[in-house]
Amino acid sequence: MAEHEHVRVAVIGSGFGGLGAAVRLRREGITDFVVLERADSVGGTWRDNSYPGCACDVPSHLYSFSFAPNPDWPRTFSGQQHIRAYLEHVADVFGLRPHLRFDSEVKMMTWDAERLRWNIETARGSLSADVVVSATGPLSDPKVPEIPGLASFPGKVFHSARWDHDYDLRGKRVAVVGTGASAIQIVPAIQREVGRLTLFQRTPAWVMPRVDRAISDVERRLHRALPFSTRLRRGLLWGLRELQVQAFTKHPDELGLVEQLAKRNIARAVKDPALRAKLTPDYRIGCKRILLSSAYYPALTRPNVDVVASGLGEIRGSTVVAADGSEAEVDAIIFGTGFHVTDLPIAERVVGADGITLAESWKNGMQALRGASAAGFPNWLTIIGPNTGLGNSSMILMIESQLNYMADYLRQLDVLGGRTALDARPAAVEAWNHKVQERMKRTVWNTGGCTSWYLDASGRNTTIWPGTTAEFRRATRRVDLAEYEVIRKAEVIRKAEEKPKASLAESPAEKKSEAAA
């Protein structure tokens, strides 16, 4: 990275959000940008999560960019290796390689109010940018709970997103902590090779069968020969999920039928009544993300698997102790305990116009105008920001909507001309957030009776979008300048010049008089 390099746009992260932003910038005719990536390759969460069995729970043709259709997906639900290969392909096809800066973890981003730009410190040097697009993603920093005795555990410990492929699990006694989307894929993938598997389940998940199959050569040839067939397939997948949204957002009781199907799924796979009771949730289906697996329940019935319906409480040497007091001797502990979603670590590294970090600004909960702009952080946009997550569809749809917003944001800066910045008005951010939270009150995510990673420490849902993807696309199609304060370089200079004049005009007597008043 060149010393004192300055670019128009700095994109942080090279997952779907970051690469999508890079493609959109080039399509808008903007080539003066860099993509800062902390690792040594692209892929984001699909690079980091390489655990056995890792795959997507959204159909392949919907979990890809509309502007980069892939007619050659091998399965209806793609595995991690195929999705990562797709992202590498996107980087190549759209000429993004010259813009990528690997091993460039962002240490700090500070707004320069005088020059109206961001000063960025990375692991490989410093640079500045007129605009920052943060695409670090909410599933990028693993969360490992603080367990008493963990530091002194003599065996192997790792998180699902930092899988140690050099460690041989064959014949080992393994504890898996957590029963989320990663764990339900890991458990059946390793169950046959480990000696014994102990699953620590704090809260059971609703799991539906995963209707996955290989996509035939005939289908792939059809998609290559007739591109509209790929678009049609994607459109049908999207439309079906749009029709489901009302049940999640307005009429959670309508999910009762789905819940009955999920219970039948448990009953078919798990014949032991005691185990079946452990695995049956007591909250409305959909409150947590509905998970897909046809192998999870059968794996839990195998003789070498124990399900502990309690969280991990402490560790004594090589003994893991559950909160209910049950114990097990293990050689390795695998945490499938999720990520820092509502307390994004990147927020501690962004210092805004008032000299406070984004984390401090969000101490009472994350909020951003249209999921993109935070008040007090001019010319800073985020992809997959607050309340842009989905509970039943593809995040790529939301990412593309935010890319539309990013593109118009940059167009507005061009129209305004000169050295200019846009800062979201606090009232606009508050109004947007109030509207979102009001709609959230009746959703299954708030009323379903569960505690999920969608909720922050105060119990507010700052993660999920309470509507359809079509609604969000309409809301982010254009930037409304009335929602922003326009900051110009000339005004900054004028205000800086006026300050010393005002202080010089005040005599000691005037200051004393003001103090007395």
Side-chain angles (χ1 to χ4, degrees):
M1 188 177 297
E3 189 175 0
H4 305 304
E5 180 182 14
H6 179 80
V7 293
R8 185 180 181 193
V9 182
V11 179
I12 317 299
S14 67
F16 267 100
L19 294 183
V23 172
R24 188 57 184 269
L25 288 171
R26 287 187 61 90
R27 295 177 78 182
E28 292 289 320
I30 299 172
T31 56
D32 183 16
F33 71 90
V34 295
V35 179
L36 303 174
E37 170 54 58
R38 66 184 177 185
D40 59 1
S41 61
V42 303
T45 191
W46 294 106
R47 174 200 59 234
D48 296 343
N49 288 268
S50 59
Y51 58 79
C54 183
C56 189
D57 62 359
V58 175
S60 302
H61 286 277
L62 193 58
Y63 200 79
S64 47
F65 291 120
S66 63
F67 53 78
N70 179 15
D72 292 313
W73 287 116
R75 302 195 66 83
T76 52
F77 290 89
S78 291
Q80 174 264 345
Q81 69 274 28
H82 300 120
I83 297 174
R84 184 178 180 186
Y86 170 78
L87 290 172
E88 293 280 3
H89 179 71
V90 167
D92 290 331
V93 167
F94 289 93
L96 305 183
R97 297 290 177 187
H99 302 279
L100 296 170
R101 305 285 189 272
F102 294 124
D103 301 311
S104 299
E105 181 177 8
V106 171
K107 301 297 185 180
M108 191 65 68
M109 290 182 278
T110 306
W111 176 248
D112 185 336
E114 183 178 340
R115 297 184 179 183
L116 297 188
R117 68 184 191 183
W118 286 94
N119 294 323
I120 307 169
E121 299 173 28
T122 80
R124 293 188 59 192
S126 302
L127 74 157
S128 57
D130 296 332
V131 177
V132 166
V133 178
S134 180
T136 57
L139 306 182
S140 56
D141 291 284
K143 178 183 285 187
V144 176
E146 294 182 5
I147 306 294
L150 179 60
S152 58
F153 177 68
K156 191 69 179 178
V157 179
F158 52 87
H159 190 277
S160 59
R162 300 292 183 268
W163 195 270
D164 189 340
H165 291 278
D166 294 327
Y167 184 73
D168 189 356
L169 289 171
R170 287 177 295 181
K172 298 293 196 305
R173 299 166 299 177
V174 179
V176 174
V177 183
T179 52
S182 299
I184 71 154
Q185 295 179 342
I186 292 169
V187 168
I190 68 173
Q191 174 267 320
R192 292 182 180 181
E193 63 179 89
V194 302
R196 186 146 210 92
L197 193 154
T198 304
L199 177 65
F200 287 87
Q201 171 193 271
R202 190 170 57 181
T203 307
W206 286 110
V207 182
M208 297 289 284
R210 177 184 169 92
V211 188
D212 185 28
R213 64 172 179 81
I215 297 177
S216 68
D217 289 339
V218 173
E219 290 174 275
R220 281 182 276 176
R221 284 199 299 269
L222 175 66
H223 292 327
R224 284 195 295 270
L226 302 172
F228 81 87
S229 65
T230 307
R231 293 194 297 271
L232 177 61
R233 186 172 190 160
R234 177 187 176 89
L236 290 172
L237 291 168
W238 167 77
L240 179 62
R241 280 154 181 78
E242 290 289 273
L243 292 174
Q244 299 170 352
V245 171
Q246 280 209 350
F248 287 86
T249 60
K250 295 180 180 180
H251 308 292
D253 288 344
E254 292 180 0
L255 293 166
L257 175 59
V258 181
E259 194 169 298
Q260 291 303 313
L261 294 175
K263 287 181 178 179
R264 289 180 188 176
N265 184 44
I266 300 173
R268 278 195 301 268
V270 183
K271 303 306 180 184
D272 178 13
L275 179 57
R276 192 161 61 240
K278 286 182 181 180
L279 299 175
T280 303
D282 61 0
Y283 56 86
R284 172 64 75 197
I285 194 169
C287 185
K288 290 174 179 279
R289 190 175 180 99
I290 301 172
L291 306 181
L292 303 180
S293 175
S294 298
Y296 178 63
Y297 288 141
L300 298 183
T301 66
R302 300 296 184 256
N304 68 332
V305 177
D306 295 312
V307 178
V308 179
S310 175
L312 179 58
E314 64 174 309
I315 299 170
R316 303 172 191 155
S318 59
T319 303
V320 289
V321 184
D324 64 5
S326 57
E327 301 180 0
E329 293 288 318
V330 298
D331 304 304
I333 302 173
I334 300 171
F335 286 98
T337 45
F339 301 85
H340 290 277
V341 175
T342 59
D343 56 340
L344 298 173
I346 190 67
E348 299 174 358
R349 306 180 186 189
V350 184
V351 182
D354 297 327
I356 65 171
T357 66
L358 186 61
E360 291 172 315
S361 176
W362 282 350
K363 64 182 178 181
N364 294 322
M366 299 189 301
Q367 54 180 350
L369 177 61
R370 302 183 188 274
S373 301
F377 297 83
N379 282 9
W380 182 90
L381 297 170
T382 183
I383 307 296
I384 314 183
N387 291 114
T388 61
L390 295 175
N392 76 311
S393 192
S394 172
M395 279 306 302
I396 312 306
L397 301 168
M398 302 296 279
I399 288 172
E400 290 196 25
S401 292
Q402 293 201 286
L403 298 183
N404 290 339
Y405 195 77
M406 176 199 75
D408 197 54
Y409 189 102
L410 293 167
R411 290 189 211 110
Q412 296 295 338
L413 289 176
D414 284 342
V415 170
L416 291 167
R419 180 70 72 183
T420 309
L422 295 176
D423 188 6
R425 296 182 184 276
V429 176
E430 183 60 36
W432 172 261
N433 188 63
H434 177 74
K435 180 181 178 181
V436 168
Q437 293 303 323
E438 282 298 307
R439 293 184 62 181
M440 194 70 70
K441 288 179 180 179
R442 62 193 295 187
T443 68
V444 69
W445 308 298
N446 279 35
T447 65
C450 72
T451 300
S452 71
W453 56 267
Y454 300 151
L455 310 180
D456 64 16
S458 64
R460 289 178 60 212
N461 192 326
T462 57
T463 306
I464 296 293
W465 167 246
T468 65
T469 62
E471 285 180 285
F472 188 75
R473 176 152 295 198
R474 287 193 296 271
T476 54
R477 183 170 288 127
R478 296 282 185 271
V479 169
D480 182 358
L481 285 180
E483 296 180 326
Y484 287 88
E485 178 186 355
V486 179
I487 307 170
R488 297 184 182 276
K489 181 70 178 291
E491 293 175 1
V492 173
I493 295 172
R494 178 178 56 77
K495 289 178 181 178
E497 289 175 344
E498 288 176 351
K499 271 190 176 181
K501 289 179 182 178
S503 60
L504 287 171
E506 289 179 351
S507 66
E510 288 172 329
K511 288 182 178 180
K512 186 175 180 181
S513 175
E514 286 181 4

